[in-house]
Amino acid sequence: MEAGVAIHRIRVTVTSHNVKSLEKICADLLRGTKENNLKVKGPVQSPSKTLRITTRKTPCGEGPQTWYTFQTRIHKQPTDLHHPSEIVKQMTHQCGART
Amino acid sequence: MDCGFVCVFLFVCLMACSDSVPLKPHRKKKPFIEKKKAVSFHLVHRSQRDPLAADETAPQRVLLPTQKINDEERRAEQRKYGVFFDDDYDYLQHLKEPCGPSELIPISTFSAPDRRDEKEETLVISTTGIKLPSSVFASEFEEDVGLLNKAAPISGPQLDFDPDIVAALDDDFDFDNPDNLLEDDFILQANKPTEEEGTGIRKSEAEDDSEWEDMDDEKEGGSDDDNYGSAGSSDEAMSVPGKPPGTVENHLFWEEETKSRFTEYSITSSVMRRNEQLTLHDERFEKFYEQYNDDEIGALDNAELEGSIQVDSNRLEEVLNDYYKEKAENCVKLNTLEPFEDQDLLMNELDGSEEEEVITVVLEEAKEKWDCESICSTYSNLYNHPQLIKYQPKPKQIRISSKTGMPLNVLPKKGLTAKQVERMQMINGSDLPKVSTQPRSKNESKEDRRARKQAIKEERKERRVEKKANKLAFKLEKRRQEKELLNLKKNVEGLKL
């Protein structure tokens, strides 16, 4: 451990169904970090997973073979930060306030 | 940010930092976080039971450490207990060790947690020695009832309302009773000096067992016009204040009997919070129930259910009279008389009974008279759309031509073909003027006449020759075609290839 402020390596993974909100939070994180002039490796775009459920529309077996294809996409963006402990608190507060 | 139902999961992995090594091109990249030394958290909302949930300065999100347990290890553990599923679900959370005989340990004096104002205590996470400010984590102390649960509205019967409100909510409340109506200026009346209201409440102990409606009368005071009862009771209300303050003061503490008739009864009633109104309610009920004390109940002379009764006694006669009255009423109610089938008629046995003559009256129901027009007028216009009758002549029968087999007069008539047009334009020998067709001139000499007649004869001769040739040609052609058809029929028809 270094003398002075202990800097932690933090990997923050933000997961959401909604890309816009995800982007916003990552932007906030980045902004917060840049204000404090800390090192950050920006949000990494990991491939979004699509969860699919394909079911028949009908409650019975009768009728034309129509199917629903339900989908949700999960987007994940891990961000690497180098933050001291105090900033961690600020970050959680900020992230909480934003969502 | 307004995102509606947004769920964002923040997963935070922390690791104590060491200096980063400059990368060499062909070397494997050092991972940012070494999993073995790292600690992970989820960023979650603060629990409602956390006292800091109400605090605006404290962050509403806290870090919750995740339990990292390997899938394989977990499955092995599960199999030990007979759970053989191989999915990702943690069945161990539903398995609980049976707790052995528990031991009571006295707790040391319970001290409320200090509020962490400015100076932050740091929480050290044991395994890795990472220090984080404690406000980032959930508080250690949790209340029993969460914030939201406290704010939840109470449902169900609430007896701590004023008794007149409780009475009004009751099903049997008589809204038409003028005593129970509110005054138009009830707010003004309510805002008058409170001594009237206060004594109204305390008055109850001095009264006899009163029903809820009586309380209404007294509280609303003089209500509507012709209500002597309420006027009387309002006077009573004014006069009574003299009494209760005295009686209340005399009520000494050690004289109060704490045991009630209901102490051994239900558990739920003891759990409900007892405020002033409810205690009042309890006491009044006690009073009311005093009526049913053994010594309060009067003589039981009339309560014997066994025994005999004389036939001549008054009571039996009264019963019989009531019975007759009922029967008489029932007779009136019937529209059409039916033969009275009551076998148990005492009437026949007793003398002085009413004698009825049974007359059968046949009632004919008034029949409605209908005629065509009125019936038609009852038809709804949804289905009945009167129209003029149109004349539809009989459609012509389709005739088929014997030659072609196609229906006549259906297909459009064909115009002339190109060949026909050409032929028409050609000058035929037949177009030449014939002598027979030319008109005879008036002044005709003998020779002319002779010549003309000769010419005509020749024309006829030629024509005869032509005709003969034509006839022959046609005959031959016909014969040929018939032969062909016959051949076809004999040889080709029915031939399967």
Side-chain angles (χ1 to χ4, degrees):
Chain A
M1 291 286 212
E2 302 155 347
V5 180
I7 295 192
H8 301 289
R9 281 199 196 162
I10 304 175
R11 169 167 284 169
V12 179
T13 313
V14 189
T15 319
S16 173
H17 296 284
N18 187 341
V19 191
K20 274 197 175 168
S21 47
L22 196 67
E23 293 287 328
K24 193 144 190 211
I25 292 182
C26 286
D28 286 343
L29 266 184
L30 277 183
R31 206 185 334 118
T33 322
K34 292 234 168 101
E35 278 167 17
N36 295 319
N37 293 325
L38 295 165
K39 216 162 84 166
V40 61
K41 296 256 171 81
V44 176
Q45 311 279 350
S46 74
S48 63
K49 293 176 196 155
T50 317
L51 307 176
R52 288 179 210 267
I53 292 178
T54 315
T55 39
R56 284 289 300 278
K57 281 187 184 176
T58 172
C60 58
E62 204 273 335
Q65 314 259 338
T66 46
W67 295 80
Y68 279 132
T69 57
F70 293 115
Q71 270 187 26
T72 17
R73 296 199 181 142
I74 299 184
H75 310 272
K76 204 156 125 179
Q77 281 190 3
T79 314
D80 291 341
L81 314 161
H82 288 80
H83 272 189
S85 323
E86 282 75 38
I87 308 286
V88 171
K89 177 198 166 197
Q90 205 180 56
M91 180 187 76
T92 58
H93 200 144
Q94 258 183 2
C95 290
R98 291 292 190 263
T99 46
Chain B
M1 150 169 79
D2 174 26
C3 288
F5 300 105
V6 161
C7 259
V8 174
F9 297 101
L10 282 188
F11 190 74
V12 180
C13 265
L14 281 124
M15 203 184 92
C17 182
S18 53
D19 291 39
S20 53
V21 180
L23 289 173
K24 291 180 185 168
H26 50 274
R27 253 212 176 161
K28 194 179 167 190
K29 238 180 168 177
K30 195 181 85 178
F32 183 68
I33 285 182
E34 285 171 40
K35 286 189 184 169
K36 291 181 187 168
K37 290 188 190 170
V39 185
S40 342
F41 305 93
H42 282 292
L43 190 72
V44 292
H45 287 275
R46 202 179 271 278
S47 163
Q48 288 297 321
R49 290 193 185 162
D50 195 336
L52 290 178
D55 186 4
E56 282 171 7
T57 56
Q60 286 306 307
R61 302 277 177 132
V62 293
L63 292 178
L64 185 74
T66 53
Q67 271 88 27
K68 267 196 187 164
I69 178 167
N70 195 5
D71 265 356
E72 273 308 309
E73 289 172 9
R74 204 195 66 234
R75 280 181 203 155
E77 183 79 17
Q78 277 172 197
R79 273 183 222 125
K80 242 198 332 187
Y81 296 104
V83 176
F84 296 108
F85 302 121
D86 277 337
D87 58 4
D88 292 335
Y89 189 71
D90 177 24
Y91 292 94
L92 292 173
Q93 60 184 314
H94 302 293
L95 301 171
K96 199 176 171 182
E97 280 186 19
C99 44
S102 46
E103 202 184 304
L104 290 178
I105 303 170
I107 48 166
S108 53
T109 54
F110 178 81
S111 57
D114 307 314
R115 267 211 44 163
R116 292 159 194 152
D117 292 318
E118 282 116 48
K119 188 160 186 222
E120 306 238 349
E121 295 172 22
T122 51
L123 218 75
V124 179
I125 302 168
S126 49
T127 44
T128 48
I130 294 175
K131 288 186 184 169
L132 283 173
S134 58
S135 64
V136 161
F137 295 99
S139 320
E140 284 172 7
F141 164 68
E142 274 194 0
E143 295 172 15
D144 286 335
V145 184
L147 210 64
L148 289 176
N149 286 344
K150 277 191 206 164
I154 318 164
S155 58
Q158 290 171 55
L159 298 170
D160 30 325
F161 288 156
D162 280 344
D164 46 349
I165 297 174
V166 176
L169 289 173
D170 191 16
D171 274 346
D172 296 334
F173 192 69
D174 182 16
F175 283 103
D176 296 330
N177 186 352
D179 292 348
N180 292 340
L181 293 173
L182 274 183
E183 298 279 286
D184 283 338
D185 57 346
F186 67 92
I187 296 216
L188 291 177
Q189 286 189 1
N191 287 338
K192 273 189 198 166
T194 52
E195 50 155 305
E196 294 173 5
E197 295 296 307
T199 52
I201 294 165
R202 268 182 274 158
K203 204 184 336 148
S204 61
E205 297 193 61
E207 281 173 359
D208 294 334
D209 320 358
S210 54
E211 301 190 14
W212 298 114
E213 274 76 20
D214 291 352
M215 279 299 279
D216 291 341
D217 293 351
E218 282 130 26
K219 281 227 169 139
E220 265 78 55
S223 56
D224 300 332
D225 309 318
D226 41 349
N227 210 321
Y228 306 111
S230 70
S233 63
S234 64
D235 288 339
E236 189 187 348
M238 298 305 166
S239 63
V240 160
K243 271 204 293 183
T247 53
V248 168
E249 280 157 26
N250 291 338
H251 210 76
L252 295 171
F253 187 72
W254 50 83
E255 286 173 3
E256 254 187 36
E257 209 185 88
T258 48
K259 185 175 186 313
S260 73
R261 284 171 187 72
F262 301 100
T263 39
E264 282 145 49
Y265 284 54
S266 74
I267 302 170
T268 45
S269 53
S270 59
V271 164
M272 278 165 62
R273 285 180 303 120
R274 254 38 211 165
N275 65 4
E276 196 186 304
Q277 290 285 14
L278 285 177
T279 326
L280 175 71
H281 176 75
D282 290 341
E283 284 172 36
R284 298 187 80 202
F285 193 68
E286 274 281 330
K287 265 242 149 157
F288 174 69
Y289 212 72
E290 271 178 19
Q291 265 192 342
Y292 293 95
N293 270 349
D294 286 339
D295 45 345
E296 293 277 329
I297 296 172
L300 299 175
D301 293 342
N302 301 330
E304 277 174 3
L305 300 174
E306 283 184 346
S308 57
I309 190 168
Q310 298 298 317
V311 181
D312 300 334
S313 78
N314 281 340
R315 280 185 51 232
L316 190 61
E317 288 235 7
E318 277 175 47
V319 170
L320 288 172
N321 286 337
D322 287 339
Y323 178 74
Y324 295 159
K325 276 188 210 162
E326 244 189 72
K327 286 286 176 185
E329 278 171 36
N330 285 340
C331 289
V332 172
K333 281 176 195 167
L334 290 172
N335 282 331
T336 60
L337 296 177
E338 298 151 35
F340 211 36
E341 285 175 5
D342 204 300
Q343 312 297 328
D344 304 340
L345 266 183
L346 295 172
M347 288 210 295
N348 296 333
E349 294 173 17
L350 294 170
D351 48 336
S353 58
E354 301 146 24
E355 284 166 4
E356 284 183 356
E357 289 177 11
V358 181
I359 306 164
T360 49
V361 176
V362 179
L363 292 169
E364 234 186 69
E365 278 184 9
K367 283 190 184 169
E368 288 171 326
K369 294 178 183 171
W370 293 96
D371 63 323
C372 299
E373 210 178 331
S374 47
I375 291 270
C376 283
S377 63
T378 62
Y379 289 173
S380 125
N381 237 14
L382 290 175
Y383 311 105
N384 181 31
H385 302 288
Q387 265 186 343
L388 285 176
I389 301 172
K390 287 180 192 166
Y391 167 63
Q392 281 186 349
K394 184 181 163 189
K396 281 189 176 173
Q397 203 182 40
I398 300 172
R399 285 196 208 119
I400 300 178
S401 83
S402 52
K403 264 192 200 170
T404 55
M406 303 287 281
L408 291 170
N409 301 336
V410 171
L411 297 170
K413 286 195 177 150
K414 285 194 208 167
L416 297 170
T417 58
K419 222 179 188 177
Q420 282 175 343
V421 170
E422 207 192 304
R423 214 187 276 171
M424 274 169 64
Q425 287 177 350
M426 258 174 28
I427 302 172
N428 285 347
S430 52
D431 290 344
L432 288 168
K434 285 201 174 138
V435 181
S436 49
T437 49
Q438 274 167 7
R440 189 161 54 106
S441 63
K442 263 196 173 173
N443 309 331
E444 214 178 24
S445 61
K446 276 191 180 174
E447 289 84 20
D448 285 336
R449 193 168 135 255
R450 211 182 275 158
R452 193 171 51 86
K453 290 226 189 249
Q454 202 66 20
I456 289 172
K457 275 185 187 165
E458 281 187 28
E459 270 176 14
R460 284 187 191 156
K461 205 196 251 179
E462 276 169 25
R463 187 73 198 120
R464 257 178 272 149
V465 169
E466 266 180 43
K467 276 195 213 171
K468 194 162 188 184
N470 279 349
K471 274 187 193 166
L472 190 65
F474 269 100
K475 205 187 270 182
L476 287 175
E477 187 58 34
K478 189 176 172 188
R479 219 185 273 168
R480 193 188 67 85
Q481 277 191 2
E482 276 178 357
K483 221 194 235 175
E484 234 180 76
L485 204 63
L486 201 66
N487 278 338
L488 272 172
K489 272 197 175 167
K490 233 181 12 177
N491 304 329
V492 178
E493 216 171 291
L495 192 73
K496 282 193 185 171
L497 294 168

